[in-house]
Amino acid sequence: MKTGIIILAAGESSRLGYPKQIAKYKEKTLLQLAIDAANDANVDKRVLVLGANRDEIKKTFLGASIPNIPNPHYQKGMSSSIKVGLEYMLKIDKPDQVIIMLCDQPFVDAKILNKLIATQKKESKGIIACSYSKTVGVPILFGSAYFKELMALTGDEGAKNIVLAHEDDLATVAFPKGKVDIDTEEDLRDLNL
């Protein structure tokens, strides 16, 4: 099974007031932590989707470390970045499954990404999601059967509705620290305590 990873990092970080992608945790930017996790995972393809503040963000990581593409429609919400990333994957070398991850979950590492892949192999389900705080969410793996539905998402809709519509084809991986994401200065302060 060929696996691709799409890192979504195109948002404007309006609640934080500056690009969260360049916020630091343990001497690295949140984006660099996400890139490191993707690069260390057992996957075949990776892509980073950038949007708002793209030029400023690109200065903070080695461009050669991961293919990165712009989402010119990032204002249309998360769904537009999912589509841009998936289109890229499908053009380059069609994967059998993709993992969608964000750049603002500092505790995502290669271990949890590899666990999604291992769980898919073991359970043979089309969707493998992380579970935390009594819900399921990203990082999340989708098999190719769901690519059409991912491409049909609109607005600031993530892939959660697809998951909820196909709970019979869902397996989960416990990831309690997945609930930690950075949206505000307070989140960042709490993280660095």
Side-chain angles (χ1 to χ4, degrees):
M1 291 277 266
K2 265 192 233 162
T3 307
I5 287 187
I6 302 168
I7 303 175
L8 306 180
E12 294 179 90
S13 312
S14 51
R15 285 184 281 174
L16 187 59
Y18 65 93
K20 68 169 91 173
Q21 298 89 331
I22 63 174
K24 293 244 171 133
Y25 175 60
K26 291 192 173 174
E27 305 304 310
K28 286 188 176 183
T29 64
L30 293 178
L31 181 56
Q32 190 61 57
L33 291 169
I35 291 169
D36 291 350
N39 282 338
D40 293 343
N42 299 327
V43 298
D44 304 280
K45 295 280 172 217
R46 299 154 189 85
V47 67
L48 166 63
V49 181
L50 295 171
N53 309 298
R54 181 172 174 241
D55 294 336
E56 184 182 349
I57 293 163
K58 279 185 87 163
K59 292 177 194 158
T60 67
F61 69 94
L62 286 173
S65 64
I66 188 166
N68 57 88
I69 54 173
N71 173 6
H73 311 292
Y74 67 87
Q75 295 98 330
K76 291 184 179 174
M78 192 185 294
S79 65
S80 66
S81 291
I82 291 172
K83 288 188 221 180
V84 165
L86 189 53
E87 274 171 7
Y88 170 87
M89 287 276 166
L90 296 175
K91 256 186 232 154
I92 301 300
D93 187 12
K94 193 174 179 196
D96 300 298
Q97 55 194 17
V98 294
I99 294 172
I100 296 172
M101 64 181 282
L102 307 179
C103 70
D104 66 353
Q105 289 178 295
F107 297 113
V108 170
D109 58 13
K111 255 188 243 162
I112 194 73
L113 298 173
N114 289 337
K115 202 167 183 187
L116 290 170
I117 297 165
T119 302
Q120 192 291 322
K121 204 172 185 176
K122 187 175 158 225
E123 304 287 339
S124 297
K125 296 284 188 181
I127 304 171
I128 313 296
C130 287
S131 64
Y132 41 84
S133 301
K134 298 186 176 123
T135 189
V136 294
V138 286
I140 187 166
L141 180 149
F142 287 96
S144 59
Y146 295 100
F147 290 178
K148 204 176 211 167
E149 285 180 63
L150 288 168
M151 293 301 284
L153 291 171
T154 57
D156 208 25
E157 178 181 23
K160 192 127 184 204
N161 289 340
I162 297 173
V163 177
L164 298 175
H166 301 283
E167 289 187 63
D168 56 322
D169 196 23
L170 168 69
T172 60
V173 169
F175 180 41
K177 285 184 168 181
K179 71 178 180 200
V180 178
D181 69 354
I182 306 303
D183 289 316
T184 65
E185 200 61 63
E186 193 181 3
D187 294 340
L188 206 51
R189 267 198 312 274
D190 292 349
L191 184 64
N192 285 303
L193 287 179

